[in-house]
Structure formats: C-alpha cells, structure tokens
C-alpha cells in the first residue's frame, strides 16, 4: 500500500511511552542498534509528515532521554490505565479541536511502516461517520487464525469493524468439522483478517473517552477496542496486504530485531 503525503489531511502523532512493563521493564530505553527503541519510533513518526509528533510519558527517565534526542515531550498523569487515556490528556493539553486527527503510535513498534500510519489517517478522513480507524491484514496461516494471541476483526460492507475477537472468526461451518482444519493455510477467498494495533482517533472521541465505561465484551476478551463498538462508535478498518515487523514485547523480541536490523534498515 502506498500513499502520498500531499493527499493526506493534517494529523498529529502521539507516542504513549510507559517506563514500566510487566513482561519487559524499561523496554523503551533498551538499546537497539546504538539508540533506544523509543528513538527509533520517534524518528519513524517524523517521516510520516504529521503536524506534530509528541511523546507522552509520566516518567522523568523517558522525558530526559526523549529531550536528548530532540523529541517534543508532554508529561502526563501516572494513573492512566492505557495509552488511549494518555492520548486524551495530551489532546486536551494541546488544545486540539474535535475534528483533528490523532494517531496513537505505540512506543515499542520501532519498525512500523509509515504507510500504515498514512492508511489509517486516510481511512478515517474518508469516512466522515467514523470516529476512529485501525488497520488489518489478511490471515493466511491456520495456526495464526486459531491463535488467541492473534486478534481477528470482521467488517461490514463499508469496511467498518463489526467485531474484534481472540476467537477464530468468521467460522467455516462446513469446512471446520474436524481437527485437520487447524493445519495448513486458509482458502484464498476466506475473509479472515488480523487486527494490527494502530489506532487513529478524532480528538472529539478522545475527549469523551474517560466517560465511556468498560464493556462486558472488553472485560472478557481483554480488547479495549470493544469499548468503542459497544457504544455504537463506528470504527473504519484499512486493509493492508503485509503484516508489519513485530514490536518489542519481550527481551526475545528485542534480540530478534537486533539480528534483523541489517535487513530492515536501509
């Protein structure tokens, strides 16, 4: 998927940056090719052509490091439960208007393709009834389709999300009839989509986020995006063909990226 900066509307990028992580503490400050993971993310965000790129953090260590590599930083409260809450605080502090587009770029995704950011921005901009957008790509491998750690999404005819789930969906009633259906590849015309966790919001939605209660669906699936669907908020989904390089969730992920670095970077 390719996009041109000249066709893009104005948008802002916010990078929520937590210092603590249960699985990999201080991972955003971990060295990757001579600079912190967070610096890679900030530099790729700069290439997207946003009006502003802001790192949002509640920790002095991240603030100091970000200022050292030239980033704009907003200090946020330390009681946020997720990155969306942190985005909402930044949007309010920056005085962004309701129609402004705000992209949440995760601080642990050092090689997120800029084209995916553009795809999400365009998807939201082109659907005036939607209040947020996200990304998905086709699932080919049945092992991924049946993996609960791979989040699936199904869409309507307008390419808006109908539901997100860790369960395999849609279900092939006739084809998935014994254990052999878990092996191999899915049919080429089977509409299985993998959700890629990049979110694009209208600032007006972020302003309302704190008043949106957790939905029962979100509580059971452990998927924050279900809070929006439960409230009837339209979520536009941009489809891309390629799965982006995996981010840094664990020390093992970081080590893999270190080995792949010569192949990923120009």
């Amino acid at each position: 998927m390719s996009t041109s900066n000249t066709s893009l509307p104005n948008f802002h990028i916010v990078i929520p940056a937590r210092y603590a992580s249960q699985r990999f503490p201080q991972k955003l400050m971990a060295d990757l090719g001579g600079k912190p993971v967070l610096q890679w993310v900030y530099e790729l965000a700069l290439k997207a052509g946003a009006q502003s790129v802001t790192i949002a953090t509640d920790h002095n260590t991240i603030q100091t490091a970000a200022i050292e590599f030239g980033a704009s930083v907003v200090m946020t409260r330390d009681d946020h439960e997720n990155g969306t809450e942190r985005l909402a605080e930044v949007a309010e502090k920056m005085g962004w208007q309701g129609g402004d587009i705000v992209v949440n770029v995760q601080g642990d995704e050092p090689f997120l393709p800029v084209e995916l950011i553009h795809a999400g921005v365009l998807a939201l901009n082109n659907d005036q009834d939607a209040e947020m957008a996200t990304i998905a790509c086709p699932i080919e491998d049945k092992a991924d389709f049946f993996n609960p750690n791979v989040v699936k999404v199904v869409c309507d005819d307008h390419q808006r999300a109908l539901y997100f789930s860790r369960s395999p969906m849609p279900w092939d009633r006739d084809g998935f009839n014994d254990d052999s259906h878990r092996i191999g590849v899915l049919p080429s015309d089977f509409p299985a989509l993998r959700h890629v966790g990049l979110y694009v919001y209208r600032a007006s939605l972020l302003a309302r986020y704190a008043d949106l209660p957790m939905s029962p669906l979100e509580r059971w699936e452990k998927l924050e995006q279900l809070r929006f669907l439960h409230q009837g908020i339209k979520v536009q989904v941009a489809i891309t063909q390629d799965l982006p390089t995996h981010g840094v969730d664990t020390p093992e992920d970081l080590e893999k990226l270190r080995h792949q670095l010569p192949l990923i970077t120009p």
Side-chain angles (χ1 to χ4, degrees):
M1 176 180 294
S2 63
T3 57
S4 169
N5 281 8
T6 58
S7 64
L8 289 169
N10 291 331
F11 64 98
H12 303 279
I13 291 177
V14 179
I15 306 170
R18 290 179 62 245
Y19 186 69
S21 171
Q22 290 183 340
R23 285 189 290 179
F24 189 1
Q26 305 176 33
K27 64 180 180 180
L28 301 189
M29 293 292 96
D31 179 80
L32 177 61
K35 53 190 175 185
V37 169
L38 182 60
Q39 185 174 348
W40 285 95
V41 177
Y42 177 74
E43 290 174 355
L44 79 83
L46 289 178
K47 297 175 183 177
Q51 275 188 294
S52 68
V53 178
T54 306
I55 291 176
T57 187
D58 59 5
H59 202 283
N60 290 332
T61 298
I62 288 184
Q63 179 191 36
T64 300
I67 291 173
E68 285 180 354
F69 59 70
S72 172
V73 183
V74 170
M75 293 297 289
T76 59
R77 303 197 315 268
D78 61 4
D79 60 346
H80 290 310
E81 294 185 2
N82 53 52
T84 308
E85 290 185 2
R86 210 173 296 280
L87 251 71
E89 183 181 350
V90 172
E92 181 181 9
K93 285 184 172 179
M94 301 293 277
W96 293 333
Q97 300 302 303
D100 289 348
I101 295 175
V102 185
V103 184
N104 181 348
V105 173
Q106 299 294 332
D108 58 4
E109 297 280 354
F111 300 114
L112 179 75
V114 169
E115 290 78 12
L116 262 63
I117 297 174
H118 292 171
V121 169
L122 287 171
L124 182 57
N125 185 66
N126 293 338
D127 185 350
Q128 292 303 309
D129 291 329
E131 295 186 80
M132 62 181 290
T134 191
I135 306 292
C137 64
I139 299 175
E140 298 178 357
D141 196 317
K142 288 184 177 180
D144 289 336
F145 185 66
F146 289 98
N147 182 350
N149 294 317
V150 174
V151 177
K152 274 69 70 173
V153 58
V154 291
C155 301
D156 67 12
D157 193 45
H158 300 285
Q159 214 162 290
R160 294 177 185 148
L162 289 169
Y163 193 63
F164 297 88
S165 182
R166 297 183 183 278
S167 297
M169 64 176 194
W171 187 262
D172 182 354
R173 189 198 64 174
D174 298 325
F176 297 161
N177 50 18
D178 57 43
D179 286 343
S180 66
H181 68 246
R182 294 176 176 267
I183 302 171
V185 297
L186 294 166
S188 59
D189 60 344
F190 190 71
L193 293 173
R194 176 181 190 139
H195 179 226
V196 178
L198 174 78
Y199 294 104
V200 183
Y201 304 91
R202 298 194 193 280
S204 56
L205 176 58
L206 292 174
R208 298 181 358 245
Y209 180 77
D211 296 325
L212 300 179
M214 178 183 289
S215 76
L217 299 171
E218 175 188 0
R219 181 165 62 88
W220 287 106
E221 292 256 24
K222 299 296 186 289
L223 296 174
E224 180 192 348
Q225 58 270 40
L226 292 176
R227 183 178 311 192
F228 300 103
L229 292 186
H230 189 76
Q231 295 295 325
I233 292 165
K234 295 179 175 63
V235 181
Q236 179 63 221
V237 180
I239 309 298
T240 183
Q241 292 305 307
D242 299 317
L243 182 67
T245 301
H246 189 64
V248 181
D249 291 330
T250 66
E252 292 74 22
D253 291 335
L254 180 64
E255 196 58 36
K256 288 179 182 177
L257 287 182
R258 285 171 175 161
H259 286 295
Q260 295 173 9
L261 199 58
L263 301 176
I264 298 173
T265 55

